Structures are given as structure tokens and as C-alpha cells.
Amino acid sequence: MQDFELVKSIGADKVIDYTKEDFIQKQVKYDIVYDAVMKLKASKSRKILKNNGVFLNNSRLPKIKEEDLLFLKNLIEKNKLKPVMDRTYSIEEIVEAHRYVDKGHIKGNVAVTIFDE
């Protein structure tokens, strides 16, 4: 599955290829901008956000509270949030898991299991 198809399959309304489209120059405004590859500065994102819009990237995620986790749990149970798992490693394979993630080409989450059930 292509990256764009994957992102749309989990609920994104619009996916932008920043290498092909200068979306900052367009007049379109968004409620949420999530910069998955951390190429957009927060200051530039203001041009494309609605008044109460939110800019997020992997280093600017808000502090998670218990009610946030319960909200996410509810979305998952209602099949409105679809986590994407790329690979799972055992704790003994932690070095390989880090190497895989460090390559920068993951397509979802990488999990490490601590205990076998």
C-alpha cells in the first residue's frame, strides 16, 4: 500500500506531498496540520491553519493525560481510529527494532513485546 493510501485509510481527509506541492502558498485553511516528516516549521503552518487550528509533529505532541487515553480507547473500540502496525519485535530483538526504525522507512508503529502471553 502506498503511503498516501495508508494515511487516507486511517482517516485523513487530505494528504499532501510536500515535495510536489507548495501548499503554504494556497489559500486553503486546515483545522489540523500533522507534519509526519518534520519538514514544516510551526511559524509557517500558521498561514494554513484556521483560527483555532492545531499544528503537530512528532516533537510537538501535547502531554498525554488519562482522559486522552480513554478517548483514544473509545475511538479504537468504535473502529474510528485504526492503529497501523508495521512490525513487532521481542525484547531480545530490541537492537534490530531500533535499527529498523532508525532507517526511517516505517509504515506505522513498531512494537516491542516484553512478555510472551
Side-chain angles (χ1 to χ4, degrees), residues 33-84:
V33 172
Y34 175 63
D35 178 13
V37 294
M38 297 178 55
K39 298 287 184 184
L40 179 64
K41 293 185 178 184
S43 59
K44 274 193 163 187
S45 73
R46 288 187 196 105
K47 294 179 183 179
I48 60 172
L49 285 171
K50 292 181 180 177
N51 286 340
N52 292 321
V54 176
F55 170 75
L56 298 169
N57 67 25
N58 292 339
S59 70
R60 295 176 48 92
L61 295 174
K63 185 171 180 154
I64 298 173
K65 301 175 197 150
E66 183 178 356
E67 61 259 26
D68 297 330
L69 294 175
L70 293 172
F71 176 75
L72 292 173
K73 177 182 176 279
N74 186 35
L75 290 176
I76 291 168
E77 288 172 346
K78 291 181 178 179
N79 203 31
K80 292 185 177 188
L81 177 65
K82 303 168 193 155
V84 177

Side-chain angles (χ1 to χ4, degrees), residues 1-10 84 105-107:
M1 180 182 287
Q2 296 265 342
D3 292 346
F4 294 112
E5 293 170 6
L6 173 66
V7 173
K8 283 191 168 212
S9 77
I10 59 174
V84 177
H105 301 292
I106 62 173
K107 305 267 190 270

Side-chain angles (χ1 to χ4, degrees), residues 1 6 13 15 17 19 23-24 32 35 41 43 48 51 58 62 64 70 80 84-85 91-92 97 99 101 103 110 116:
M1 180 182 287
L6 173 66
D13 294 324
V15 181
D17 184 347
T19 66
F23 57 92
I24 298 292
I32 299 171
D35 178 13
K41 293 185 178 184
S43 59
I48 60 172
N51 286 340
N58 292 339
I64 298 173
L70 293 172
K80 292 185 177 188
V84 177
M85 293 304 300
I91 190 67
E92 293 80 20
R99 285 187 186 130
V101 170
K103 288 180 184 176
V110 174
D116 286 330

